[in-house]
Amino acid sequence: MKNKKIKIRELEDIIKNKRIYPVFQPIVDLRSGHIFAYEALSRVLGGSSMEIGELFELACRCRKVWELEAVCRRNALKQAVYMPAGKKLFLNVDPNVILDSKFRSGTTRYMMKKYGLTPDDVVFEVTERTRIKKETTFTETVNHYRDEEFHIAIDDFGAEFAGMNRVCMLHPEYIKLDIELIKDIDSNEYQRSFVKHFADFCEEKGIKLVAEGIETKAELETAARIGVAYGQGYYLYAPGVHFAE
């Protein structure tokens, strides 16, 4: 119990003092080799006893998920102003954010207007890995951001069984394959076959498919050969890109 109280105080301090800073990881067009977009990832300024994922889980239990996400989002948008022209910004969103009593519709649009960005510049990644309190929450989150004219990416596709049902129901503009589907894809015939057929499906439906977690040359070459359009991972670029002001 004492340890939990210490962690809650740490979370509150991070939110109060906005101790979050963004790092950006490029998403690459595997056909041209050019950077297509950047994903904003959050890190804790001054360090933390918890990883960012653990912080969000704690924030969800404490009903502070929107407060934490708002800090992450504001700081990412502030830096994204200096992105190279024509690139998109991918922002992570916890599906439970709309359950937070402090969540306010339109806040992100207000932030973006302040920094000179438009909904067309931003793609919201809604992850399948989050422990969603209600199954309908995932759909409600996607529909909320789509109503505000943002593009949607389903993140970590393949991590949960509900994935294909969600694709058919929600029609996302982007799908990011879970890292476990890409790891050793060059040597795993079943993974390779599944991803190839799914890449064909995405091309037919106009969905942009992103392979996450590319860590070797063989994984990169295999993903590109079987039709995955975009890639992200340490073999291409590590998180840590900063934009010059």
Side-chain angles (χ1 to χ4, degrees), residues 19 39 69 90 122-123 131 133 142 167 173 225:
R19 289 173 43 213
E39 179 182 355
E69 192 160 286
F90 280 61
V122 174
V123 178
R131 296 173 184 173
K133 289 184 175 181
V142 169
V167 170
E173 287 80 14
R225 187 176 69 252

Side-chain angles (χ1 to χ4, degrees), residues 7 20 64 66 99 125-126 137 153 175 221:
K7 288 187 174 184
I20 295 288
K64 293 181 179 293
W66 170 240
L99 300 179
E125 294 188 26
V126 188
T137 300
I175 293 176
E221 291 177 342

Side-chain angles (χ1 to χ4, degrees), residues 52-238:
I52 196 72
E54 188 180 356
L55 273 173
F56 269 99
E57 285 190 9
L58 178 61
C60 187
R61 293 196 296 271
C62 296
R63 300 179 183 271
K64 293 181 179 293
V65 65
W66 170 240
E67 292 180 73
L68 178 58
E69 192 160 286
V71 174
C72 296
R73 195 172 296 183
R74 183 178 292 107
N75 289 346
L77 291 170
K78 184 177 180 180
Q79 289 300 310
V81 171
Y82 305 103
M83 277 194 316
K87 308 303 180 187
K88 292 193 179 296
L89 174 68
F90 280 61
L91 290 174
N92 290 282
V93 57
D94 186 314
N96 292 305
V97 69
I98 63 171
L99 300 179
D100 193 311
S101 60
K102 293 187 178 180
F103 175 78
R104 297 189 309 278
S105 180
T107 302
T108 300
R109 271 183 170 273
Y110 174 79
M111 292 181 196
M112 291 172 59
K113 184 177 181 180
K114 179 179 179 180
Y115 298 118
L117 298 169
T118 70
D120 193 52
D121 297 319
V122 174
V123 178
F124 276 104
E125 294 188 26
V126 188
T127 182
E128 289 203 323
R129 284 193 181 277
T130 304
R131 296 173 184 173
I132 304 171
K133 289 184 175 181
K134 297 189 299 182
E135 179 55 32
T136 56
T137 300
F138 192 100
T139 303
E140 289 168 0
T141 304
V142 169
N143 288 338
H144 166 75
Y145 287 105
R146 175 158 283 137
D147 287 345
E148 295 204 343
E149 301 180 333
F150 294 105
H151 288 183
I152 299 297
I154 293 181
D155 195 16
D156 301 316
F157 177 83
E160 299 290 344
F161 293 115
M164 201 62 214
N165 288 338
R166 287 172 178 161
V167 170
C168 293
M169 181 172 56
L170 300 173
H171 307 155
E173 287 80 14
Y174 300 84
I175 293 176
K176 301 185 79 175
L177 291 170
D178 185 66
I179 187 172
E180 293 301 324
L181 288 173
I182 300 305
K183 184 179 180 181
D184 299 324
I185 192 173
D186 52 296
S187 59
N188 188 311
E189 181 182 349
Y190 286 90
Q191 281 176 235
R192 201 161 55 246
S193 179
F194 172 81
V195 172
K196 181 182 185 304
H197 283 87
F198 192 64
D200 292 341
F201 166 82
C202 287
E203 183 175 9
E204 178 185 337
K205 300 304 178 186
I207 299 170
K208 295 179 175 65
L209 186 62
V210 183
E212 289 192 290
I214 295 176
E215 296 187 352
T216 68
K217 181 180 180 181
E219 290 170 354
L220 171 63
E221 291 177 342
T222 301
R225 187 176 69 252
I226 63 178
V228 179
Y230 301 91
Q232 181 179 1
Y234 277 80
Y235 182 77
L236 294 164
Y237 293 93

